[in-house]
Amino acid sequence: MFEQLKLYIYALFVEHSILNIFWKNFHKVDDGIYRSAQMNPYTLKKYIKKYNLKTIITFRQDINKSPLSQMEKQVCEDMGIKFIRIGLTSRKLPNKDRLLVLKNAFESSPKPILMHCKAGSDRTSLASFLYLYWNGKIEEAKKQFSFFKYGHIKNSKAGIIDYCAEKFLESGKKDVIKWCEENREKLQKEFKPKGFWSFVNDRVLRRE
């Protein structure tokens, strides 16, 4: 019990997850699909029961270095929930292989699904956009990068993800995975984040 408490305190103050106690950033994306910030174990158990969740998808990268992620994984094992890790970064566009893994996870995992990153603002916004796009809900997909609803800061370095989504929709192409693979390096060079907002996102909010 004491060891668990130490890990939780580490998660709050070293992983900088203390804000998530007050801000769950929980929203419905579509029928059977939800998005959120990463929750503490107690809150996660409540949401699993309340929404009858069957799958948790995390976009955090090295969960072995994250006590909060390890506790989340244990909760899923104890409650019989499918746990999937697809490591993404909000500062670079995912490659073809990661996007294919994500698409397969959406198609093959039991629902309801809850997906999250750390704050639920950047990587989760991209994944929500892709899910809705793949299911033909383009107008809803466009809304997934909202600052006021989800906390996504488009002028920070993380803005590369909605810049990519915007350019893809403008292109008129249909295959987002192929288009992103062909244009990833070009988009990374084109996108110009603002220094102040990158400082807020990276240093103040400590997003990944």
Side-chain angles (χ1 to χ4, degrees):
M1 181 70 178
F2 181 66
E3 187 63 28
Q4 285 290 99
L5 180 60
K6 283 201 305 183
L7 290 174
Y8 186 50
I9 291 173
Y10 178 94
L12 290 179
F13 296 103
V14 179
E15 289 191 68
H16 203 65
S17 297
I18 193 166
L19 292 177
N20 295 3
I21 295 176
F22 310 101
W23 191 53
K24 307 295 184 297
N25 209 3
F26 182 87
H27 304 275
K28 180 178 178 179
V29 177
D30 199 10
D31 291 341
I33 304 291
Y34 301 94
R35 57 179 290 173
S36 73
Q38 187 170 27
M39 301 178 189
N40 65 59
Y42 173 74
T43 304
L44 179 61
K45 289 176 185 177
K46 285 176 56 179
Y47 275 74
I48 287 173
K49 292 175 182 177
K50 182 176 181 178
Y51 293 93
N52 194 30
L53 301 175
K54 302 298 183 185
T55 301
I56 304 291
I57 302 176
T58 177
F59 302 120
R60 298 199 65 183
Q61 295 190 81
D62 191 352
I63 64 172
N64 293 322
K65 295 181 179 178
S66 165
L68 192 59
S69 295
Q70 289 299 304
M71 288 186 279
E72 175 185 50
K73 185 178 180 182
Q74 188 61 55
V75 167
C76 289
E77 289 178 2
D78 293 343
M79 299 184 72
I81 306 300
K82 186 174 183 179
F83 180 78
I84 301 172
R85 183 188 73 84
I86 305 173
L88 301 176
T89 173
S90 62
R91 310 306 190 268
K92 293 183 179 180
L93 298 174
N95 62 28
K96 177 182 177 181
D97 291 340
R98 292 294 171 93
L99 292 175
L100 286 171
V101 168
L102 177 61
K103 192 169 190 291
N104 180 66
F106 284 146
E107 292 174 347
S108 63
S109 300
K111 295 179 181 179
I113 296 171
L114 172 65
M115 55 181 162
H116 72 82
C117 45
K118 185 177 180 180
S121 300
D122 303 325
R123 293 165 286 183
T124 304
S125 289
L126 175 61
S128 299
F129 167 85
L130 290 168
Y131 178 87
L132 290 165
Y133 176 79
W134 283 326
N135 285 275
K137 300 182 178 182
I138 312 301
E139 292 307 311
E140 285 302 311
K142 292 177 182 178
K143 300 175 184 177
Q144 298 306 303
F145 300 103
S146 169
F147 169 74
F148 293 104
K149 190 170 185 179
Y150 307 117
H152 175 67
I153 304 176
K154 67 181 300 179
N155 288 320
S156 71
K157 292 176 184 176
I160 183 63
I161 57 178
D162 54 300
Y163 180 74
C164 172
E166 179 184 333
K167 293 299 180 183
F168 168 69
L169 293 176
E170 287 177 359
S171 75
K173 301 293 184 181
K174 301 299 182 183
D175 188 338
V176 64
I177 296 178
K178 180 180 178 182
W179 185 89
C180 189
E181 185 70 13
E182 292 173 347
N183 292 276
R184 190 170 67 252
E185 290 187 14
K186 174 176 173 285
L187 292 168
Q188 293 280 171
K189 290 177 181 177
E190 284 180 356
F191 179 68
K192 305 298 181 186
K194 306 296 183 183
F196 172 77
W197 291 111
S198 291
F199 174 81
V200 170
N201 210 47
D202 297 351
R203 301 298 181 185
V204 178
L205 299 175
R206 300 267 298 277
R207 292 180 179 170
E208 298 175 345

